[in-house]
Amino acid sequence: MRANEGRWRGAGALLRDPGIGGALLLALLCCLVPVFGVGDNSFQLRFVWFVQVPFDVLFAWFAWRASRVPGVERLVRNYMLTAAVGAVLFLIGDGWQAIRTLIHPAVSELNGGTEQTVFYLAGCGLLIVRMLTHPTPGGTRGERLRFHLDALAVLVCGGVLAWCFSIDPAKGGPAAAVSTVIALSIMLVAAFAAVKLLLSGTAPVTVSAAIPMVAAAACLGLSMFLSPMVDGELNPVLLVLRTLAPALIAIGPRIQERQTRVRPRWHRERPRRPYHVLPYAAVVVTFGVFLVMMPTDIMGAQAWGGVIGVVTITAVVVVRQLLAFLDNFELINRLDVTLLELRGHQTMLHEQATQDGLTKLVNRTAFSEAVAADLTDRRSAAHGLAVLLIDLDDFKAVNDTLGHGVGDGLLITVAERLRGAVRAKDLVSRLGGDEFAVLLRGVGADEAAAMADRILADVIQPARVDGHMLVVKASIGVAPAESGDDVEGLLRNADIAMYAAKDAGKSGVRQYDAGMGARILETVELGNRLRDAIGTDQFRLVYQPIVEMETGAVTGAEALVRWQPPGRDPVSPADFIPTAESTGEIVPLGRWILREACRQLARWRRDHPGAAGLTMSVNVTGRQLQVPGFVDEVAGILAEFGIPADRLVIEITETAVLDDPAVLEALHGLRALGLDLALDDFGTAASSLGLLLTCPMSGLKLDRSFVDRLGLDSRPTAVATAVSQIARALNLGTVAEGVESPEQARILLDLGYRRAQGFLYSRPLPPAAFAQSWQAAQIAA
């Protein structure tokens, strides 16, 4: 029921089309002329020929438009172009004949003159050739044999009709018989071509478009069996048929165009049919002709009984066969539905296997396959390839502070920006987390770097997600493909370049070079050695005194770690501390440093009663502060060694606390224990002043970069002055780092600094040497 309602709605929509509705209305109005006998025979004849012209124009125009629909298949396009050319030939022939009947009123050929016939046959010939050359269905030899037998059955039926109703050798003489045979032969060849087209199962016209075109052919075929004159007047039925035929054939391409614009690939979506009705209809028609042509005057009752029995048995067998086919057709339809569902599941599984569910970009697997295919394709490799690896900087802070929903929204936004920033031939992928990749095709190294800069400029624009305005940062590594590269190597090179961009300050672009790989290997090797060294006696702590500049008294010590691998030169903290932070080994190493520093402070306090006022400063990284339970761990160490909380100073850098709520929470927890917190290297990050309002600090350490040029440049002096004034205003203690000359100490004293550390006072010392230095300083003070 719903299918029928859908068909009626579809037919109504087609009739409302101006081209289709207008053509049918014009045809019906023109049919009124012969129906009501307007004018004499000469007028009606001229009218019929002139009516052909506008319908031929519509036929040509509609067929050309149907061939130009975007996305239409080549088979359909070629067929419609052939129809448009044939329609132009019809137009020339019909127009010639219309003008001829106007100029020469005595002309009374209803079938057209020589010129019209030539153009008509040329147009028909084009269509016939196109239909005859239409590919026959493939399949097995038996399927092809059944196809040709079905077509032959329809052709034989047409021959029987022509022989019995149109060819009469006894009438008109040999010439008339020959012309009739030639005309009917052309019709039969056209009919065979059309039948072959319909039976192929791949006809280049939709069913809705084929109906009016087949109806037009039926009108022309029926008109051949009608007498042109009835009681001295032109046969009105014949004229109506000749008027309707061009209108019907004209609207077929228009229907095709409308339906193709909605579904350009309808040709591939047509359901299969297990049988064709045409051969069985041919059997019925042939038997009907047989009954009509039977000589009734010599047929007895017995003969008629045999004939009726043969016809009845044949009809029963045909109906029975059709019913069996219908049952099979329903079964096949159900199988088709199941197959479509399976294909849908297959498509869904393929998308899940090759597509990122959140951003709808291809995933790592599909991206790797595409890169491998392009590396294998010599032509693609010859034109240049490059892989960009894009990682969002500080993305974890977005998830932690605003929630994963906002984080997902940011990922979707970045994916859309990447799609818009690349070319159609490039490929964008989400590899996982906040990491994206782009495959650039047909680019050299310089062009790939330039495109990476443009992509970065698009990606880092501020993004509004769920009402939050987010600052977007990203680091991009560029890896141009070289001869002999494989997928893993190319991605690894892009990854190395991306981390080089992060190390250079983030939100930048770096292109891979061989030196990067060597440096990464060195870092990896250093990380492996570092992991093996933790827990052994390769590490030791030294302590740099923190002194009162006016008196020289030592008030505290900063614990500094040193690494002496056995059989090797010492490793500088500037080398292994960043590696420890990047690999995560800073957590166990920092735990050991904190415990060892507190153990040493407890030992000094036990051995030297005057050391009760000493403070111990320990550097802690943001990675350590992010570890759950860090505050409880510090409290446990203080309790284990009996150290008052106000004797321990935790030093952190400004970058460790930027935009990280977990770090801020840990700092508040440490301050609640009674520890002092010092902001190390103050003044070197972008948000120093803002941190003074959000972090519970108790002291500032002026970075050595401002101390080095005191007295040599006015700007470092101005910064040092400002820091001192801010500290006094906020009631914060200050320590100046890197003091190496008496002149620097004098200037710092004048600026309001009271404590300092540096080579002017002492280098970092082992525990015993520090104790001696402390005692000497105390005596001197």
Side-chain angles (χ1 to χ4, degrees), residues 86 89-90 116-127:
L89 294 174
F90 295 159
Q116 190 273 341
T117 302
V118 169
F119 283 105
Y120 179 77
L121 292 178
C124 289
L126 278 177
L127 294 174

Side-chain angles (χ1 to χ4, degrees), residues 682 689 692 697-702 719-735 751-755:
F682 184 75
L689 296 179
L692 297 179
M697 295 297 161
S698 55
L700 304 177
K701 298 191 74 171
L702 182 67
V719 172
T721 302
V723 171
S724 177
Q725 293 173 347
I726 291 172
R728 281 199 303 270
L730 297 178
N731 196 27
L732 301 176
T734 56
V735 176
L751 294 178
Y753 290 87
R754 293 295 173 261
R755 292 183 297 162

Side-chain angles (χ1 to χ4, degrees), residues 468-689:
H468 301 279
M469 182 59 72
L470 304 179
V471 176
V472 184
K473 297 180 182 180
S475 300
I476 301 181
V478 183
E482 302 290 344
S483 177
D485 279 344
D486 58 9
V487 178
E488 293 302 322
L490 197 57
L491 288 174
R492 182 173 59 251
N493 293 346
D495 194 50
I496 291 172
M498 184 267 291
Y499 276 105
K502 285 185 176 294
D503 292 340
K506 299 184 179 181
S507 204
V509 176
R510 287 292 183 273
Q511 184 167 309
Y512 175 80
D513 61 60
M516 287 182 182
R519 289 192 294 273
I520 292 295
L521 289 177
E522 291 176 0
T523 302
V524 171
E525 180 184 358
L526 184 61
N528 292 334
R529 290 167 49 200
L530 179 65
R531 182 171 56 253
D532 295 337
I534 294 175
T536 68
D537 59 356
Q538 297 183 31
F539 292 100
R540 62 186 178 89
L541 293 185
V542 293
Y543 303 91
Q544 186 171 36
I546 298 174
V547 302
E548 286 280 353
M549 287 190 289
E550 288 184 334
T551 64
V554 176
T555 62
E558 180 179 1
L560 302 172
V561 66
R562 297 293 184 261
W563 182 14
Q564 175 62 67
R568 293 174 178 263
D569 293 333
V571 182
S572 170
D575 292 331
F576 73 81
I577 292 298
T579 301
E581 291 182 356
S582 64
T583 60
E585 297 299 329
I586 192 65
V587 174
L589 179 60
R591 184 181 296 117
W592 177 84
I593 293 172
L594 179 62
R595 176 177 291 276
E596 184 62 24
C598 289
R599 178 185 289 111
Q600 185 59 56
L601 179 60
R603 185 178 297 118
W604 286 333
R605 289 168 60 87
R606 184 191 63 209
D607 297 342
H608 307 283
L614 278 178
T615 61
M616 179 65 72
S617 297
V618 178
N619 291 280
V620 173
T621 66
R623 190 76 172 263
Q624 293 172 263
L625 293 170
Q626 291 172 345
V627 176
F630 178 76
V631 175
D632 294 336
E633 181 181 335
V634 172
I637 293 175
L638 293 175
E640 179 182 354
F641 295 109
I643 299 175
D646 61 356
R647 296 298 89 194
L648 180 61
V649 180
I650 297 295
E651 296 186 5
I652 57 173
T653 60
E654 298 171 85
T655 54
V657 295
L658 287 178
D659 301 326
D660 195 324
V663 171
L664 290 175
E665 182 181 355
L667 292 177
H668 282 283
L670 293 173
R671 198 74 178 95
L673 291 177
L675 276 70
D676 282 338
L677 302 178
L679 202 55
D680 198 11
D681 302 332
F682 184 75
T684 58
S687 301
S688 301
L689 296 179

Side-chain angles (χ1 to χ4, degrees), residues 56 145 160 200 217 263 276 292 295 363 372 409 458 465 525 527 544 601 607 609 617 623 652 702 707 709 759:
D56 290 341
L145 177 61
V160 170
S200 67
R263 292 168 57 199
H276 294 284
V292 171
N363 61 14
D458 289 343
V465 180
E525 180 184 358
Q544 186 171 36
L601 179 60
D607 297 342
S617 297
R623 190 76 172 263
I652 57 173
L702 182 67
V707 176
R709 297 189 61 78
F759 289 175

Side-chain angles (χ1 to χ4, degrees), residues 118-197:
V118 169
F119 283 105
Y120 179 77
L121 292 178
C124 289
L126 278 177
L127 294 174
I128 290 172
V129 170
R130 172 60 65 185
M131 289 187 291
L132 286 175
T133 56
H134 183 76
T136 57
T140 64
R141 181 180 300 177
E143 291 174 340
R144 292 193 296 271
L145 177 61
R146 287 193 294 273
F147 165 77
H148 287 98
L149 289 176
D150 288 343
L152 181 61
V154 177
L155 181 63
V156 170
C157 176
V160 170
L161 284 172
W163 181 265
C164 294
F165 294 104
S166 297
I167 301 178
D168 189 353
K171 296 181 180 181
V178 171
S179 63
T180 303
V181 169
I182 293 174
L184 289 173
S185 298
I186 295 174
M187 284 193 62
L188 287 176
V189 173
F192 175 74
V195 169
K196 176 177 177 288
L197 194 71

